[in-house]
Amino acid sequence: MGEKDQQKFAEGLLQYLNDSPTAYHAVENGAAILRAHGFTQLKETDRWSLKKGGRYFMTRNSSGLIAFTVGEESPEENGFRIIGCHTDSPGLKIKPGPCTVSPDGYVKVNVEVYGGAVLSTWFDRPLAMAGRVIVKKDGGAAGLAEERLIKIEEPVFVLPSLCIHLHKKTDDNNNLNRQTELLPILAMKEEGVEKGDYLLRLLRDKAGIDPAAVLDYELFLYEYEKGIFTGGNREFISASRLDDLSMVYAGLSALAESCKKGAACRVLAAFDNEEVGSTTAQGAHSGLLLHTLNRICKNLGLDDDGYFRVIAHSTSISADLAHAVHPNYSDRHDPENHPVLGGGPVIKYSASQRYATTAFTAAYFMEACERAGVAFQQFVNRNDIPGGSTIGPVMSGLTTIPAVDMGAPILAMHSIREFGAVTDQYDTWKAFLAYYEGC
Ligand code: CO
């Protein structure tokens, strides 16, 4: 695989990031990639009839996705090879009672913070809106509701910062009042328009949704400007939602492009709600993956003993991005473990098991990297800075399948615009492909 493949991969990744402003869109666009590679969509409500060598996927809540291939050999002897990742990203979510009008006549959108967003980065840039709206079907009762994904690709909101001359000493965009200082502006008030109608008008005018049919919505703001390649040699990616859609894309592409013949069942699990603790029906801290693995085994005719043998033969990767050393803040890292952009995928360690990695699980990922011809790096937090966590511990705890926590290195994690290197993304994809194909 030469440079052209790397360029093609990076362009596909950037397209996926730009096309997927919310978890719903990440799942919809992920499903399209899978269908293009011969995967069949299964409904959880239908009876399944899986075949050896078959390629399938299912979605949960339109925001979580599990894709899998059925191995050619005995599952009891070969187990599952699982890559887990997450579809959600920190941001601003529109509340019920979506708009408020200030005494000066500004119409502002009323939002809550979703996850650990770096709020200062949401100021002074055009913001668009996307998500899903639940509408009454054909004017019927609420029981006949249907979901409409919407993406208003227009810069409809801006959250202007306070001009420097009006700052008090205590003003700090990283420590702002999340209610009063975080209300992006939509418009100036118009005579005769109720404040509750501004959002409905937007949905009607920009997304063709009949206001009378709207039952409820889950709508997010997102950065209007697209992600791009940057750097003197275009070696970097500056884009929203690298965490964790770049791992979703790498995992999905690796599964879709992995060779058709394989002994083990390969699984890609893209969970929602990692950024808010994972405890939802579509999150990693749920029965979603466990039940699906069980269902696959039962469908292949295994009894309980066979199922437990499959689990005992399985391994997993928890793929979530890692903090590279920031050149202006290198003292925030452990003195000896310094992952950098361009150095390859990063294995994450934590003695308190906030990352699920063990020496055994690190070893099988290192082995995959070796077969792929990819360098890897190691990360551990400074003892006086706690760092984050991932889906690794809960995914591994619930399934009892060992997991390695890893991810491509980035800077500016949880900023509206994150920053990574093209080679790390491509190398991670190659390592995933080797992991899947190694069985
Ligand atoms: Co993440």
Side-chain angles (χ1 to χ4, degrees), residues 126-129 152 154-158 185-187 202 206 221 224:
L127 301 168
M129 178 175 87
I152 295 177
E154 291 185 40
V156 282
F157 306 107
V158 170
I185 295 172
L186 168 63
L202 205 56
K206 310 287 188 190
L221 309 193
Y224 168 71

Side-chain angles (χ1 to χ4, degrees), residues 86 88 243-244 274-275 319-321 348 389-390 413-414:
H86 66 91
D88 60 323
D243 176 10
D244 191 31
E274 189 275 342
E275 302 293 356
D320 202 349
L321 295 184
K348 302 187 236 180
S389 191
T390 66
M413 189 178 287
H414 289 192

Side-chain angles (χ1 to χ4, degrees), residues 219-297:
L219 296 168
F220 295 81
L221 309 193
Y222 70 96
E223 195 194 20
Y224 168 71
E225 297 295 343
K226 304 279 190 205
I228 51 171
F229 298 113
T230 66
N233 300 308
R234 292 164 63 85
E235 64 267 60
F236 301 120
I237 304 173
S238 166
S240 299
R241 301 173 296 279
L242 280 169
D243 176 10
D244 191 31
L245 293 191
S246 64
M247 295 296 94
V248 175
Y249 183 77
L252 270 174
S253 315
L255 182 68
E257 291 159 34
S258 65
C259 61
K260 292 244 162 60
K261 293 234 177 295
C265 298
R266 301 167 183 158
V267 181
L268 185 281
F271 301 101
D272 193 6
N273 302 128
E274 189 275 342
E275 302 293 356
V276 292
S278 292
T279 309
T280 62
Q282 55 283 352
H285 199 174
S286 75
L288 173 57
L289 178 59
L290 185 68
H291 294 166
T292 307
L293 298 180
N294 195 314
R295 188 170 182 177
I296 293 168
C297 289

Side-chain angles (χ1 to χ4, degrees), residues 4-49:
K4 189 146 177 285
D5 295 312
Q6 177 168 296
Q7 191 56 30
K8 207 171 145 218
F9 176 82
E11 277 162 14
L13 166 62
L14 201 57
Q15 184 81 45
Y16 183 70
L17 296 172
N18 288 337
D19 289 348
S20 307
T22 71
Y24 312 110
H25 297 87
V27 164
E28 185 182 55
N29 295 325
I33 293 171
L34 291 166
R35 281 194 201 94
H37 285 85
F39 283 69
T40 304
Q41 182 162 8
L42 300 169
K43 279 195 174 150
E44 287 191 274
T45 45
D46 286 351
R47 185 164 275 282
W48 291 3
S49 176

Side-chain angles (χ1 to χ4, degrees), residues 89-101:
S89 303
L92 302 180
K93 185 178 188 185
I94 300 179
K95 289 180 172 179
C99 289
T100 185
V101 180

